[in-house]
Amino acid sequence: MTIHRDYTGSKMGMWIFLFTEILLFGGLFVIYAAYHHRYPEEFHHASKALDTAMGTVNTVVLITSSLFVAMAVAALRRAEDARARLLVVLTIAFAGVFLVIKYFEWTAKFHHGIYPGSAELAATHAPGEIVFYSLYFAMTGLHAVHVIVGMGLLGFILARMRAGAVNSTDFVFLENGGLYWHLVDLIWIYLFPLFYLIA
Amino acid sequence: MAEIPMAETPMAETPMAETPMTGTPDGGFWTTPPGRSTLGSWLLTTDHKRIGLLYLWCILAFFAVGVLLGLLIRLELIAPGRTIMAQQTYNAVFTLHGVIMIFMVVIPSIPAAFGNIVMPLQIGAEDVAFPRLNLFSWYLYILGAAIAVVSLFTGGGAPDTGWTFYVPFSATTSTNVNVAVLAVFILGFSSILTGLNFIVTIHRLRAPSMGWTRMPLFTWGLYATAWIQVLATPVLGITVLLIFAERVLGLGLFDPARGGDPILYQHLFWIYSHPAVYIMIVPAMGVISDVIPVFARKNIFGYKTIAISSLAIAFAGSLVWAHHMFVSGMSDVAVMVFSLLTFIVAIPSAVKVFNWVSTLYKGSIYLDPPLIYSLGFIFLFSMGGVTGLVLGGAGTDVHVHDTYFVVGHFHYVIFGGTGFGLFAAMHFWFPKVYGRLYNLKIANVAAVILVIGLNMLYFPMYLLGLEGMPRRYYDYLPQYTDLHVVSTVGSWITAAGLALMAWNLWRGLRHGAPCGPNPWGAATLEWTLPSPPPTENFGPVEPEVTRGPYDFKGIEREEVVA
Amino acid sequence: MHAHEEGHHPPSYRLLIGVWGALMVLTAVTVWVAQVPLGFLNVVAAMAVATCKALLVTLFFMHLKDENWTFKGMVLLVFVILAIFIGFTFFDTAYR
Ligand SMILES: [Cu+2]
């Protein structure tokens, strides 16, 4: 039967999986909204401690990687296999850059005693600010996990492309990997203003 | 309701499954493929029927454990003070009873077991959309269950928080909550994947001639349920992850000392867990909607309203979660809004009940076990549903909140509803799966014993609750003793009913009379196949849907049930 | 049986790069608007811009505009549900 060639079905499955991801983050957005409403001043103040420049660069990096993977799908469908593979490699590389920048941001915070469960944080900051940082680590942390998973997934797809199993007539795996990667981008599009720009 | 003209029924030419008189079931999908061991062919199967049975057996095994724990709880409560266990043990036992029954039995019960076995057959598909993913989600279920068991015997002792894992207690208790929430996360993921699979299957793999309005109502119920599984369960996922982070990283998001709000935890928990009760009940309603017309020999009353009310319940069910929090300290505005919305959800449920009763009206009724269990469902579910309104009304809820009234309500709805729906499904599709029939009289006797036992077990809880007996208490004042005794005796009668039912089914699958493809004379597609169905279901040819799912014109019941 | 539903042409590189350009412009806009003190409107503006960006990503990068209404309806449903979860929580948090 044609079950395994049902591209629309595969894509539908992927979209539904993305819905679950959206609602996974959705729970955190519920909490963010409630606390932002309760502590507008503290959120404003705590947000100033985040590095907007780094956040902006990361936004650019992630959106660009999103472009690469979208182009990779387009290239594969045009049977431009080598270009498609190069674009997937670039996507993964940019994801790596995103994580490196994130790493520097987080370690800088740690040096200032800002990390989950920190006694120094609890002693020196207002409750609303502590909540802000807890949310910052929870949401960007969960997002970073998704970046890592996405890199692994795209790496696996790249291997399948090299093996010829994912090609111009059978490209739904790359397309689904791309969808996942766009979702990671999509979440960041909201995280960026919520944490960096409300100061 | 779609009126489909009568046409050639394919069932006339389907040969009777040849089954020996005794022994294990044989033929169809039970046959081990050549060159594979029996065990291997089950553990690595991608056949939806086999995966459904794997679920069913595990679910029934956990159900037995849960029942045993429930009996222990009831035994402890037969008299004030210590009867058979200490306080801390009691806390662990009721937590375990809740976690096992909710996450390992009731939530996967009908969708994962019977959804898998029956749904692809009902829509004329060869399998689900992603068969390997289907097997994977069964393994996730097993993994989650295994981790839940591990949580009992490792760390600081079995979790004692109740199945709701409320903060701040769950964030600070020294018992093994970390591992338990991990188990819940994995079980939730398994549930999500099943839902995902079903949505895609129903959208993409229906036989070309099966339009949405010809779909059996069980499949409709599964479709609505699948959406709840997909959209609500991730919120549970993040909730338990946050408990984990709270405990391991000291995140403090719900810690008032650090600006957190414990009530927000309750919001998140119930955003999942209210819709979850619809994951439990909507598939059961689907079973009942499929059973009743078959045994009334009459088209279902209001096909479209039942189908739409499933979707309406699924949607409205996502609007009412905070009715579990009327006395939590949330705002009065929220109390009023959520109380009002809760009353609205009662409407689609009531619509279904009226439709079932109207279907029975002037039908030629056959009192076979699936129908008896369905009638039990309607009675018990209504008992639970009506008291649900007492809890949904903010004023009355204040009086009975966190009392035995809640425990009674919940068990009427879940045991009397989902449980009886599951039993109805087991008795209805048993001949399809095994190609044999159990003893109908004994099955009916067991059903009646269960209805009596359940009422004795849970009705006193309403009275206890009204008199102010709080739930989850280990000890109680002497004035509550009589009702507790009645309830405990009821638990024994219930257990006897369950044992009789299980023994009768077991005997049926060993020695039952062989039956043909369609013993009850049903009209949905699964009954056009031999019993048990072949591995590849309908084979390469898409089945032709020539009649509505409840159009019984020209379909006879087999002699074996006469 | 569904082999021919993939008949859409792949999007042109030019279109994709154009969308990327728009996303870059919107990123610049949102960073700039954040510097302007508008009080509560800052949050509204940030979310409005983010939603525009999200629409661009879903419609073009994720090809939602080429999908049929089943897909579009599903995506809409998800955002309605998420809005309900966030919005209804405010019946509590906004009035406490
Ligand atoms: Cu509820």
Side-chain angles (χ1 to χ4, degrees), chain B residues 216-275:
Chain B
L217 288 165
F218 178 56
T219 299
W220 263 111
L222 289 173
Y223 182 71
T225 308
W227 275 109
I228 311 176
Q229 286 174 292
V230 162
L231 296 183
T233 317
V235 181
L236 174 75
I238 193 67
T239 310
V240 295
L241 280 185
L242 285 173
I243 295 238
F244 192 82
E246 204 84 352
R247 293 173 62 84
V248 175
L249 304 175
L251 201 59
L253 270 179
F254 303 120
D255 176 4
R258 285 180 281 169
D261 178 3
I263 296 179
L264 262 186
Y265 171 85
Q266 296 190 20
H267 278 296
L268 282 190
F269 181 82
W270 289 110
I271 283 177
Y272 166 74
S273 293
H274 181 78

Side-chain angles (χ1 to χ4, degrees), chain B residues 267 316-326 330-346 391-395, chain C residues 84-95:
Chain B
H267 278 296
S318 64
L319 310 175
V320 299
W321 71 84
H323 62 210
H324 296 269
M325 302 161 56
F326 288 156
M330 71 172 180
S331 80
D332 289 345
V333 175
V335 171
M336 278 192 315
V337 171
F338 281 104
S339 183
L340 177 72
L341 289 168
T342 300
F343 278 80
I344 291 172
V345 190
L391 293 162
Chain C
I84 287 171
F85 288 167
I86 295 173
F88 278 35
T89 307
F90 271 76
F91 282 124
D92 173 22
T93 48
Y95 295 97

Side-chain angles (χ1 to χ4, degrees), chain A residues 4 22 26 46 49 53 73 90 97 99 106 149 154 160 168 185:
Chain A
H4 299 290
I22 290 170
V73 177
L90 281 174
V97 171
L99 283 180
W106 273 36
V149 170
L154 289 170
R160 303 295 292 160
S168 61
D185 187 24

Side-chain angles (χ1 to χ4, degrees), chain A residues 1 3 6 20 35 39 117 134, chain B residues 126 129 204 234 251 253 259 261:
Chain A
M1 191 152 146
I3 297 177
D6 180 6
T20 71
Y35 286 144
Y39 303 113
S134 292
Chain B
E126 194 187 340
R204 303 296 303 169
L251 201 59
L253 270 179
D261 178 3

